[in-house]
Amino acid sequence: MAGKDLPVSPLALPLPEMPPIEGVLLGSAEAGIRYKAREDVTMMVFPAGTTVAGVFTKNKCPGAPVDWCRDALKGGKARALVVTAGNSNVFTGKAGRQTCAETARAMAELAGCKPREVFLASTGVIGERLPTEKLTAALPPLHARLHADGWGAAARSIMTTDTFPKGSVRTAKIGDTTVTVAGIAKGSGMIAPDMATMLSFLATDAKIPAGALQALLSKGVGPSFNAVTVDSDTSTSDTVLLFATGAAKHPRVPADGGAMLKDFKRALNEVLMDLALMVARDGEGAQKLIRIDVTGAVTAKSAYRIGMSIANSPLVKTAIAGEDANWGRIVMAVGKAGEPADRDRLSVAVGGTWMAREGGVIPGYDEAPVVAHMKGREVEITVDIGLGRGKATVWTCDLTHGYIDINGSYRS
Amino acid sequence: MAGKDLPVSPLALPLPEMPPIEGVLLGSAEAGIRYKAREDVTMMVFPAGTTVAGVFTKNKCPGAPVDWCRDALKGGKARALVVTAGNSNVFTGKAGRQTCAETARAMAELAGCKPREVFLASTGVIGERLPTEKLTAALPPLHARLHADGWGAAARSIMTTDTFPKGSVRTAKIGDTTVTVAGIAKGSGMIAPDMATMLSFLATDAKIPAGALQALLSKGVGPSFNAVTVDSDTSTSDTVLLFATGAAKHPRVPADGGAMLKDFKRALNEVLMDLALMVARDGEGAQKLIRIDVTGAVTAKSAYRIGMSIANSPLVKTAIAGEDANWGRIVMAVGKAGEPADRDRLSVAVGGTWMAREGGVIPGYDEAPVVAHMKGREVEITVDIGLGRGKATVWTCDLTHGYIDINGSYRS
């Protein structure tokens, strides 16, 4: 597979130390689903009482595992997670649904729970049957050797075209008790359905009611995973799941969460943000991480859409790859967003230097800091729309020959 | 400039014989606006009584010439057109508006008309002042040597990153009289604001009231120019203008056009379609022309949006560049369009071979004709949504290293 031979992204960050999360046992194994000689199935088990929250792709053609999780999530409880890499089990019809049911049944038997307490995710090629027997045969030996220390290995085994494993950990206080939130993610196109769906799995030892957990996660993905785009393409399998084992001894959290979870929310949001930015840093072919701040839009939503229009513009992304602070293309991308904008009130800055304002270039602006900024690994674009107070920040990477190499080659 | 050194697109078509259009005198000249040693200003003049119709970019940050034309179009009459290549006069503030006013005034003096009967278009870099004096100085000598045979030269002089000149001609009957419609176009990204805005200028010797002419043009761009995308980016300068000189002697066309214009409409639509497809054929870096037919959507608009979602998907376009009939990415692009779709009713064909149907791959479909089709210069994708009767056809090209080369290099 392409992923194995790719050079590590120049924007890669090291995997942090990932301590155990009390209650979580995990591990990974070689099931031989598609890849040879690498771990491709990942398992987590959780104690009774574990709550779960999830967010999923908005793609109208989701994979069978996404349908499965959406349904299972209604129960709010989780005892196990099974993730496969190499085959996404998408557009596999009835066979794909059967794979989910059989995997969940086999896992439930091992974990001593109901199938609907088993969560599933898959990433890899679309439209090929997942070899269910290989997967279910791999589960018992893997289950027999789960341990608390498998986070790093798990971060690796869920990878497809990723060039580095992605993990993040934070601690937080609930009352006087310290709890931990850990997460791993994979993804290097916002999607490449062949390979590079975005998956993320987080766990905490905090004890948080499912409703409150879901509210935190749903809100947390807004400025993080939903603010990152690589190529505008939306996976059929994108999945973020957050498990709370409840092993930590802290005062009881009310059903609606509330003020008690303030610090936990901060920690969760930091982990989500870390992981989302790592996905952008591993964008297929990425050489530069791009931050786009939009201010002065009529609403926050409008600012977000303008930001995404810039972030998804092939012309903006290729200009940045060429280290060209081409604010003309940024103006174009603002204008094509379909959101309220007035050419004559628009301002554009790159790396903090304002280059264009009020419908024209700023005469004699200092090009030197702009040129220097464009040569760096991290590029910042600021656009002020000049109409209101709506603002948003989104992230992307540049569009390079590497993207074409990865995605324009034959499938096998 | 990039355009000068690019190899001609392998999808190029030859420029047809372009006969004079009665009433139209045209020519081109070197004004030295940006390019050296090539013609970069194009002029057309029309007789009194010439009507005009126009459609323009929907980008919210249009160039000054677009604002000028929108305003001039209210009069419905035209006596001259001035087009410049190399500088788009976009995001040039007050100076840009002055350039338009001065150019129109100078041209009006030469043509003996009002400035508002002069139409303007510019394409090229954004945000640099157009050297007005160079342009206005070039107008009188150019005007002195206009002739009826300049269509081929005009098709060349409006080019920027285009690799071949684009023109099309058709004849039609109005009553028993034969009239001609001719058009030229330039564009090779749906936009690259530096260079590659889409401009098209058409003329006919028919005598058609401005309202009827506008209705025909507005409708005609739907399945042609508005159904073509190269990179999803929308120019700040896109302009299509249609001039009717009225030199032909045919029965009077009523204000609302009507049945009398049926054959003219056919001819106009054919010219528009020819020119639009030539733009796709010259898409930056294009190696393959891609036709996408969407059927079975809930409405025609929904079918169009699904088609554009496929046509603009970098993953679909890179797969086709790699000659990979990756229907999984097509399924993904359908699902991300945000339009009604049901994974389990969806069918996908490539080159007429159905590969996926009812939520899964068609077992044992014949890969040989698909593989052969993908090696060709023209790739056809058909998607049946299975929900209704809405259909649409859109066109694009593949996404190759050439696109990155053209757009990822420094501006100068």
Side-chain angles (χ1 to χ4, degrees):
Chain A
M1 312 300 316
K4 298 181 83 174
D5 301 324
L6 293 172
V8 173
S9 166
L11 306 169
L13 296 178
L15 191 69
E17 279 294 309
M18 299 204 58
I21 298 296
E22 210 183 335
V24 181
L25 295 176
L26 72 172
S28 42
E30 295 179 22
I33 290 168
R34 183 181 176 93
Y35 299 114
K36 304 287 172 217
R38 63 152 273 191
E39 295 183 335
D40 58 356
V41 55
T42 305
M43 183 187 290
M44 293 191 194
V45 300
F46 314 104
T50 296
T51 54
V52 59
V55 293
F56 306 96
T57 180
K58 288 176 184 144
N59 194 298
K60 294 281 177 65
C61 301
V66 169
D67 284 349
W68 176 273
C69 285
R70 280 205 175 101
D71 189 52
L73 196 62
K74 291 174 194 160
K77 288 179 195 302
R79 294 295 303 283
L81 168 71
V82 178
V83 185
T84 63
N87 181 318
S88 68
N89 194 13
V90 170
F91 217 68
T92 44
K94 203 179 157 194
R97 291 190 285 276
Q98 278 173 350
T99 295
C100 287
E102 285 172 33
T103 309
R105 193 161 50 229
M107 184 68 235
E109 213 165 287
L110 292 167
C113 67
K114 295 174 190 157
R116 282 186 76 223
E117 294 170 325
V118 175
F119 286 75
L120 303 171
S122 293
T123 173
V125 289
I126 283 184
E128 291 184 15
R129 280 195 191 195
L130 201 147
T132 313
E133 305 69 28
K134 280 189 187 175
L135 174 56
T136 53
L139 299 181
L142 172 54
H143 183 255
R145 56 182 181 74
L146 295 178
H147 48 94
D149 265 328
W151 285 92
R156 276 181 199 90
S157 66
I158 63 174
M159 287 165 60
T160 54
T161 52
D162 300 64
T163 73
F164 65 92
K166 301 165 184 70
S168 175
V169 188
R170 290 289 190 290
T171 56
K173 291 272 189 186
I174 298 182
D176 291 331
T177 308
T178 297
V179 299
T180 306
V181 193
I184 57 175
K186 62 85 51 180
S188 58
M190 186 59 180
I191 175 201
D194 264 9
M195 300 287 155
T197 285
M198 196 285 296
L199 300 180
S200 182
F201 309 104
L202 299 91
T204 177
D205 54 345
K207 187 172 180 66
I208 300 179
L213 199 67
Q214 183 65 49
L216 287 176
L217 183 64
S218 295
K219 192 142 192 204
V221 296
S224 57
F225 284 115
N226 286 342
V228 170
T229 180
V230 169
D231 53 16
S232 85
D233 281 338
T234 308
S235 170
T236 48
S237 303
D238 285 344
T239 298
V240 181
L241 291 167
L242 167 60
F243 303 94
T245 67
K249 305 283 175 270
H250 57 71
R252 192 165 169 276
V253 173
D256 67 348
M260 238 180 118
L261 292 182
K262 194 181 165 197
D263 194 45
F264 177 84
K265 181 181 174 181
R266 188 258 325 145
L268 172 65
N269 287 347
E270 287 177 9
V271 171
L272 289 169
M273 198 70 203
D274 274 2
L275 294 172
L277 288 187
M278 286 179 201
V279 171
R281 285 176 173 275
D282 207 6
E284 290 169 334
Q287 294 291 314
K288 292 175 193 288
L289 179 69
I290 306 170
R291 175 185 170 130
I292 300 163
D293 291 296
V294 178
T295 58
V298 291
T299 62
K301 197 165 196 174
S302 181
Y304 172 79
R305 287 188 182 140
I306 291 169
M308 278 293 177
S309 178
I310 300 168
N312 282 324
S313 161
L315 288 168
V316 170
K317 293 157 78 88
T318 48
I320 292 172
E323 301 187 344
D324 175 10
N326 191 323
W327 58 266
R329 294 185 183 181
I330 299 169
V331 168
M332 172 283 299
V334 171
K336 79 162 182 163
E339 294 295 317
D342 178 344
R343 175 188 63 200
D344 297 333
R345 305 185 90 171
L346 193 62
S347 307
V348 178
V350 169
T353 302
W354 293 96
M355 304 170 71
R357 187 170 277 161
E358 291 175 6
V361 67
I362 296 174
Y365 77 88
D366 187 2
E367 267 204 89
V370 176
V371 170
H373 181 77
M374 293 304 297
K375 291 188 193 296
R377 285 290 178 198
E378 303 189 11
V379 171
E380 290 183 18
I381 295 171
T382 310
V383 173
D384 188 80
I385 307 300
L387 293 181
R389 303 178 66 175
K391 58 183 182 175
T393 299
V394 306
W395 304 79
T396 190
C397 57
D398 55 345
L399 174 55
T400 69
H401 285 294
Y403 184 86
I404 310 284
D405 284 333
I406 294 167
N407 291 302
S409 55
Y410 295 90
R411 247 179 301 181
S412 55
Chain B
M1 311 301 315
K4 299 182 83 172
D5 301 325
L6 293 172
V8 173
S9 166
L11 307 169
L13 296 178
L15 190 70
E17 280 293 310
M18 299 204 57
I21 298 295
E22 207 182 336
V24 181
L25 295 176
L26 70 172
S28 41
E30 295 179 22
I33 290 168
R34 182 179 177 94
Y35 299 113
K36 304 285 172 217
R38 62 153 273 192
E39 295 183 334
D40 58 356
V41 55
T42 305
M43 183 186 291
M44 294 192 194
V45 299
F46 314 105
T50 295
T51 55
V52 59
V55 292
F56 306 96
T57 181
K58 287 177 185 143
N59 194 299
K60 294 281 175 66
C61 300
V66 169
D67 284 348
W68 176 273
C69 285
R70 279 205 175 101
D71 188 53
L73 195 61
K74 291 173 194 159
K77 288 182 193 304
R79 294 294 303 282
L81 167 72
V82 178
V83 186
T84 63
N87 182 317
S88 67
N89 194 12
V90 170
F91 218 69
T92 43
K94 203 179 156 193
R97 292 190 285 275
Q98 278 173 349
T99 294
C100 288
E102 286 171 33
T103 309
R105 194 162 49 229
M107 185 67 235
E109 214 165 286
L110 292 168
C113 67
K114 296 175 188 155
R116 282 186 77 223
E117 294 170 323
V118 175
F119 285 75
L120 303 171
S122 292
T123 174
V125 289
I126 282 184
E128 290 183 16
R129 281 194 191 195
L130 201 148
T132 314
E133 305 69 28
K134 281 188 186 175
L135 174 56
T136 52
L139 299 181
L142 172 53
H143 184 256
R145 56 184 181 73
L146 293 178
H147 48 95
D149 264 328
W151 285 92
R156 277 182 199 88
S157 66
I158 62 173
M159 287 166 59
T160 53
T161 53
D162 301 63
T163 73
F164 64 92
K166 299 165 184 70
S168 175
V169 188
R170 290 289 190 290
T171 56
K173 291 272 189 187
I174 298 182
D176 291 329
T177 309
T178 297
V179 300
T180 306
V181 192
I184 57 174
K186 61 86 51 181
S188 59
M190 187 59 182
I191 174 206
D194 264 9
M195 299 289 156
T197 286
M198 196 283 296
L199 300 180
S200 183
F201 309 104
L202 299 91
T204 177
D205 54 344
K207 186 173 181 67
I208 301 178
L213 199 67
Q214 183 65 47
L216 289 176
L217 182 64
S218 296
K219 193 145 191 200
V221 295
S224 58
F225 284 115
N226 286 342
V228 170
T229 180
V230 168
D231 54 15
S232 85
D233 282 335
T234 310
S235 171
T236 48
S237 303
D238 285 344
T239 298
V240 180
L241 291 168
L242 167 58
F243 303 94
T245 67
K249 305 281 173 270
H250 56 72
R252 193 168 167 276
V253 172
D256 67 348
M260 236 179 121
L261 292 182
K262 194 179 164 196
D263 194 45
F264 177 83
K265 181 181 174 180
R266 188 256 326 141
L268 172 64
N269 287 348
E270 287 176 9
V271 171
L272 290 169
M273 199 69 204
D274 274 2
L275 294 173
L277 288 187
M278 286 179 201
V279 170
R281 284 176 174 275
D282 207 5
E284 290 168 334
Q287 295 292 314
K288 292 174 194 289
L289 179 69
I290 305 170
R291 174 185 172 129
I292 299 163
D293 291 296
V294 178
T295 59
V298 291
T299 62
K301 196 165 196 174
S302 182
Y304 172 79
R305 288 187 181 141
I306 291 169
M308 279 292 177
S309 178
I310 300 169
N312 281 323
S313 162
L315 288 167
V316 170
K317 292 156 79 87
T318 48
I320 291 171
E323 301 186 345
D324 175 11
N326 192 323
W327 57 267
R329 294 185 183 182
I330 298 169
V331 168
M332 172 283 298
V334 172
K336 79 161 183 164
E339 292 298 314
D342 178 342
R343 176 188 63 200
D344 298 333
R345 304 186 93 172
L346 193 62
S347 305
V348 178
V350 170
T353 302
W354 292 94
M355 304 171 71
R357 187 169 277 161
E358 290 174 6
V361 67
I362 296 174
Y365 77 88
D366 187 2
E367 268 204 88
V370 176
V371 170
H373 180 76
M374 293 303 297
K375 291 188 193 298
R377 285 288 179 198
E378 303 189 13
V379 172
E380 289 184 17
I381 294 171
T382 310
V383 173
D384 188 80
I385 307 300
L387 294 181
R389 303 178 67 176
K391 60 183 181 175
T393 299
V394 305
W395 305 80
T396 189
C397 58
D398 55 346
L399 174 56
T400 69
H401 285 295
Y403 184 85
I404 310 283
D405 284 334
I406 295 166
N407 291 302
S409 56
Y410 295 89
R411 249 179 301 180
S412 56

